[in-house]
Every structure is written in C-alpha cells, then in structure tokens.
Amino acid sequence: MFNFTLSNPVHACIAGIFGVLILASAIVFCMHKGDKEGKHKELTARVKSWWFMIAIFSTAMLTTPMVSIYFFAFLSFLAFKEYISVIPLRRADRRLLFWAYLTIPVQYFFVADNWYGMFIVFIPVWVFFLMPFRLILAQQMEGFLSSVATISWGLMITVFAVSHAAMLMQFPALAESPAGGAGLVLFLMVLNQGNDVAQYVWGKFLGKHKILPLVSPKKTWEGFLGGMVTTALIAVVLAPFLTPFNMGFALLAGVGIAAAGFIGDVTFSALKRDIGIKDTGALIPGHGGILDRIDSLSLTAPLFFHFVRYFYY
Amino acid sequence: MALARQIFYVFLIKPLLVLMLGLNVRHMDRLPERGPHVIAANHNSHLDAMVLVSLFRWSDIPKIKLAAAKDYFCRNAFMTWFSLNILGIIPIERHGGADNPLAPVFQALDKGHIVVIFPEGSRGEPEQRQPLKYGVAKLLEAMPEIGLTPVFMHGLGKSLPRGEALLVPFVCEINIGEMLRWAGDRKRLITKLDESFSSLDQEIAPKPWN
C-alpha cells in the first residue's frame, strides 16, 4: 500500500512538505528557547498541530484514492457538525439536520462514482428543493426562513464546496502530468494552506494597512499581497511536477487560489463576528476548529476544480 | 469487572463520542484526580454520564461512580447487571422506601470513589436549567472535608434530548468549574453551585435553541 518512491512527484512533494515542517519546527523551537514569557506558546501549538494534520493528510494521500475521498468526506462531516453547533437553530430543525448529515455520504458517493452530473446538482438543486419541504413537515413556521437559509448555506460550504477537492482525485493522469488527480489535490492543498501561512507571516512582519478592519482586524494589504506573491511563486515551482499547467496558467492558479482563499477566510470571519465567537471550535490546538482551518478551502476548491476542468479536461 | 468497564469506556464510548460528537473540554486541569470527591453536573441527556466518565484516564475509571435512579436503571435483570457493572451506577431509591436514599453514596465516598451527581434530578427539557435539589448539600454537610467540582455541559441535549431515540451530532462543550467546599449551610452551598453553573454556562456562550 505504501509504495513510497521519490520519483513519484506526489511522494516527492509530500517529502518536501515534511522538510518544510521540520524547518518550521526548528525555527519555532529556537524562538521558544530565547523566550521567557511564553508569548510564542500559540505558535508552538500551531506547529505541533500542523504535524498531526499533515501526517493524517499524507496518510490519506499515500494509500489509495478511495481513502483520500473518505478523508474529505470526514472533513465535511466535522465541518458541518461544527457549523451547526455554533449557529442559532431551533429544536424543530433536529430531524432535518439528521437528513442534512446524510447528504454527506450521498455527495461523496457521487464523487467516488465519478458521476459528475449528480455531483454538481445534488446539493444545489435537489437538496435545496427538498430540504425546505422536510422542514415544513415539522409545522413550525416561526424562524422557518432563517433555518432553511442557514442550513442550506452550511451544506454548500462544508459539503458541496469541500467535495470539489475530493472530486479532483477523479481527473486522470495526462501525458504532460502523470501525477493526475492526486497531484492536483496536493497542489491545491499546498497552495491553499500555504497561502494562509504566508498571509499570516507577511502580515505579522510587515502588516500595516488594514483591508477590512471591521470584519477581520488582523488582515492587512501587506499580508494579502505578500501571501499572493508567495503563493504564485510556489505555484510556478510546483506546477511542472503536479499539474498540466504551463507557466502562465500556474501563475494564474496561484493568484486565483490566494484571492479566493482570502475571500473564503473573511467570509468566515464575518460569520463569526455575526454570531459573536472567536473560533468555531477547539479541535485543533492553536488553530481553533476545523472550520477555522478550512474556511479558505471552501472557496478555492470549487474555483480551482472548475478552472482545471474548463481548461484541461 | 473493572477491566470490562475500562474497556467499555476507553475503547468503545470515548472513541464514539470523540468521532461522532467531538468533546470540547475547558479547564481539564480542574478535574479531580482522586476520591473521595463529588462532581455535580447539569443533566440534559443520557449521554451526560458517559461523557463525564470518558473524561477520566484508564486507571481512574474504576473509581468513578454515577448516582442514578434505581427504578429506571435497574428495571430488569440485564439493565441491573449492565448499570451496576459496566456503567458503574450507584442505585438511588427516588420514591421514599429507604430511610436515607443517599446511604449508598456515603458508602461509595467512604471507599474513596469519585461520585457524579446530577442535582437537577431528571433530564427535563433539553438545554434548560432546572432548580437544583438539596441532596448534594446534604452529602457535603455530612462529609464537609469532601470537595465538590461543578461541571457544565452543553450540546448533549441537542444531540440526544429526552424522548428522542435519534442521535443528531452536535459538538459537546464541557466546562469544568473550580472546586467548591461546604459553606456552612445548605442553601448557601446550593446558591454557590448554581452561580458556578451560570458562569460556566456564560463562558461557553451557547447558541439559543428555540
């Protein structure tokens, strides 16, 4: 099952990620050593959590494509659960939420089956129509609209959007990109998560001019643009190994992932402001909840998927 | 039988709770390490007791006992065996009968157990606080050297409320309070416990459940 070889670009890239992680751990360890007040405690927790997350993700990527699809399905489950746990709902919505959970196995079945037509209409069309009907059966109309709207939005973001990352696995290998779907998933995840880290680091060191101070006071133009340049550079470096993109498309993909990641990120900041919470959970020490980690993925995954599908498949 | 209990909680219940619901524990360091000790928790769901026992380490699990209604948990031979040996309950006579319904709890505390009590009595309406009963104050009055740790939970009443058999996963928030001591009279202790629950509840800042 684990046939690890560096001549496989996906395996080489995962080895590279671990290299970066070891480097980051060394830097944080040195910062931690010279620091007596423990102000880097959160950073240490963050890096430690990265080890866990990357270990789990790598295992999913290195076994079989099916395991990667299960991985994203489980990610959707955790994200949706976190979402409905922090938003205001009614007792009358309980039964509907049970059905809403069942959309996860169905949606990922369409992914596993590579049934593109159903994959793309199931949640936005069928669930969107049938869900309000199930809610009507509970016969409690007060708050009906807000329940339908919040649950639909949650399914779009946590199930429909995230499943696009899994659907990338179904793109076959091409002559110019033998890494196929797995390469695309890895490319997306590295750029998306890398962009978050790069934005954070650039913002921390150079951040001055706030972009949306009322939504997310820590987001700055310096962080955003620094992140974008860094992400575009990583895209250009990785694209020849993992994707069929030429240099122009690699740049475009990098810039697009950075921009969409930013929008996804601030969308969730706005949601958290609205309901008055800082993090959506505490599952990942130093990061918050699953949603705090994959907020940017919610927009980049569909965008990147359709970009690839339109131009290359 | 202690081993069966440890396996039940550590290898079955805890992984299920963590994967299905997700346990978000605050102030884990306030959890008592040794008995005799009393834990008072709010009561929303059948899952409450399971979650509380799952917080403890493998070696501590045999020490944890749950004060629970005898008429419900010992309603037939299988339930009696399961409740006493696997869940680890102390059966309490709710409706008169015994002279002192708390006598079995005193025995457990004498043996150095950590006893979990739900001072709200029955589960009531999900995620709504009930007035606290005085049993826990009577315990501490008789054994004033014993500490009382309040634990407030939110979310289990949404996942599995009273009268529902269908589990719908919601993240479970668990907030452990600072230890309380016997305060000189029953009313004052109950007021302190109630205030502690309120501040633990506020710290979680749960979303309304209309």
Side-chain angles (χ1 to χ4, degrees):
Chain A
M1 214 149 58
F2 283 97
N3 221 339
F4 193 86
T5 146
L6 283 180
S7 59
N8 178 326
V10 171
H11 295 185
C13 182
I14 286 175
I17 297 172
F18 275 100
V20 172
L21 196 53
I22 290 167
L23 191 69
S25 305
I27 294 171
V28 170
F29 179 77
C30 293
M31 279 164 77
H32 195 65
K33 243 181 121 184
D35 154 53
K36 298 218 163 51
E37 301 115 64
K39 56 180 183 223
H40 300 309
K41 224 168 148 187
E42 202 196 86
L43 198 61
T44 313
R46 261 180 195 237
V47 173
K48 204 170 151 193
S49 295
W50 273 119
W51 275 99
F52 280 97
M53 289 188 286
I54 290 174
I56 293 169
F57 177 68
S58 310
T59 311
M61 292 302 293
L62 292 172
T63 39
T64 66
M66 219 36 216
V67 175
S68 317
I69 292 170
Y70 287 134
F71 167 81
F72 283 109
F74 191 61
L75 207 58
S76 282
F77 167 74
L78 291 179
F80 184 67
K81 177 171 59 122
E82 224 168 70
Y83 174 75
I84 62 165
S85 299
V86 296
I87 62 167
L89 285 170
R90 312 169 302 159
R91 184 167 183 185
D93 303 329
R94 244 187 119 256
R95 291 285 165 133
L96 173 69
L97 291 170
F98 179 76
W99 290 102
Y101 273 113
L102 291 185
T103 64
I104 299 171
V106 177
Q107 175 72 1
Y108 282 90
F109 165 75
F110 296 137
V111 173
D113 200 47
N114 199 10
W115 187 350
Y116 180 75
M118 279 309 279
F119 160 79
I120 212 73
V121 299
F122 175 61
I123 288 175
V125 177
W126 294 109
V127 174
F128 183 75
F129 283 145
L130 289 174
M131 216 178 61
F133 179 61
R134 178 62 190 84
L135 208 52
I136 291 164
L137 297 182
Q139 298 203 59
Q140 194 185 321
M141 292 307 107
E142 204 190 319
F144 170 76
L145 178 61
S146 102
S147 284
V148 170
T150 50
I151 297 170
S152 294
W153 194 75
L155 282 177
M156 284 297 286
I157 291 278
T158 61
V159 184
F160 184 68
V162 174
S163 68
H164 280 74
M167 197 63 171
L168 285 171
M169 289 302 284
Q170 298 288 10
F171 286 130
L174 300 173
E176 62 271 39
S177 88
L184 292 167
V185 174
L186 200 57
F187 184 77
L188 170 68
M189 295 301 272
V190 169
L191 292 192
N192 169 248
Q193 301 292 308
N195 182 58
D196 281 5
V197 176
Q199 268 193 22
Y200 172 82
V201 173
W202 282 103
K204 195 111 191 159
F205 288 109
L206 293 179
K208 224 175 202 159
H209 302 89
K210 292 184 166 63
I211 300 188
L212 293 163
L214 295 180
V215 179
S216 186
K218 279 188 183 158
K219 292 267 180 301
T220 58
W221 279 106
E222 291 80 359
F224 172 61
L225 294 173
M228 193 176 256
V229 171
T230 312
T231 307
L233 283 178
I234 304 174
V236 171
V237 172
L238 290 182
F241 302 102
L242 298 174
T243 72
F245 306 159
N246 60 28
M247 182 137 156
F249 273 105
L251 264 178
L252 195 60
V255 169
I257 286 172
F262 173 81
I263 300 172
D265 209 334
V266 289
T267 305
F268 272 86
S269 300
L271 165 87
K272 287 185 274 186
R273 290 260 139 172
D274 182 17
I275 54 184
I277 53 172
K278 196 179 156 284
D279 292 326
T280 55
L283 188 66
I284 317 173
H287 296 258
I290 282 278
L291 279 178
D292 296 306
R293 193 60 272 136
I294 65 162
D295 46 10
S296 51
L297 187 69
S298 66
L299 252 86
T300 48
L303 182 101
F304 182 70
F305 176 85
H306 291 295
F307 174 81
V308 175
R309 191 180 141 84
Y310 186 79
F311 289 110
Y312 289 91
Y313 286 90
Chain B
M1 218 33 96
L3 183 66
R5 220 180 144 212
Q6 285 165 317
I7 291 172
F8 175 73
Y9 278 110
V10 175
F11 291 110
L12 184 70
I13 296 300
K14 185 157 191 184
L16 267 178
L17 288 173
V18 168
L19 287 180
M20 288 288 293
L21 306 181
L23 306 179
N24 188 0
V25 191
R26 290 163 216 238
H27 308 301
M28 193 62 182
D29 52 301
R30 293 176 180 170
L31 200 67
E33 293 204 335
R34 59 183 77 81
H37 198 97
V38 179
I39 289 177
N42 64 329
H43 203 14
N44 288 314
S45 166
H46 274 321
L47 298 170
D48 292 335
M50 308 241 184
V51 166
L52 283 167
V53 181
S54 300
L55 296 180
F56 287 89
R57 284 181 303 221
W58 170 269
S59 57
D60 290 336
I61 284 175
K63 286 190 283 189
I64 320 299
K65 295 281 171 192
L66 308 155
K70 187 176 180 181
D71 53 287
Y72 185 84
F73 283 92
C74 301
R75 61 182 181 273
N76 60 44
F78 172 75
M79 273 297 284
T80 306
W81 173 84
F82 184 75
S83 303
L84 292 177
N85 296 298
I86 305 296
L87 289 178
I89 73 154
I90 304 171
I92 308 285
E93 300 260 11
R94 277 200 281 205
H95 310 294
D99 297 340
N100 181 2
L102 289 174
V105 179
F106 283 114
Q107 285 166 15
L109 289 169
D110 278 334
K111 279 189 223 157
H113 288 307
I114 296 175
V115 178
V116 176
I117 284 190
F118 298 107
E120 292 177 337
S122 72
R123 284 165 288 159
E125 283 297 302
E127 309 296 348
Q128 308 242 334
R129 302 261 303 276
Q130 310 282 322
L132 302 180
K133 295 188 174 164
Y134 274 76
V136 62
K138 289 180 198 164
L139 273 181
L140 260 74
E141 185 178 30
M143 302 174 101
E145 71 285 359
I146 287 180
L148 170 72
T149 298
V151 177
F152 194 85
M153 290 174 285
H154 172 80
L156 295 170
K158 293 179 177 177
S159 293
L160 192 68
R162 178 183 199 161
E164 291 272 0
L166 184 73
L167 179 94
V168 179
F170 284 86
V171 176
C172 172
E173 304 275 352
I174 302 149
N175 200 354
I176 303 171
E178 282 183 67
M179 186 175 77
L180 303 175
R181 291 253 175 217
W182 171 242
D185 81 84
R186 290 179 188 175
K187 189 151 188 223
R188 205 181 317 157
L189 183 79
I190 292 298
T191 313
K192 268 168 72 180
L193 181 60
D194 203 47
E195 285 167 3
S196 175
F197 277 163
S198 297
S199 69
L200 294 172
D201 187 12
Q202 268 172 24
E203 197 180 336
I204 294 173
K207 287 294 129 194
W209 182 244
N210 305 317

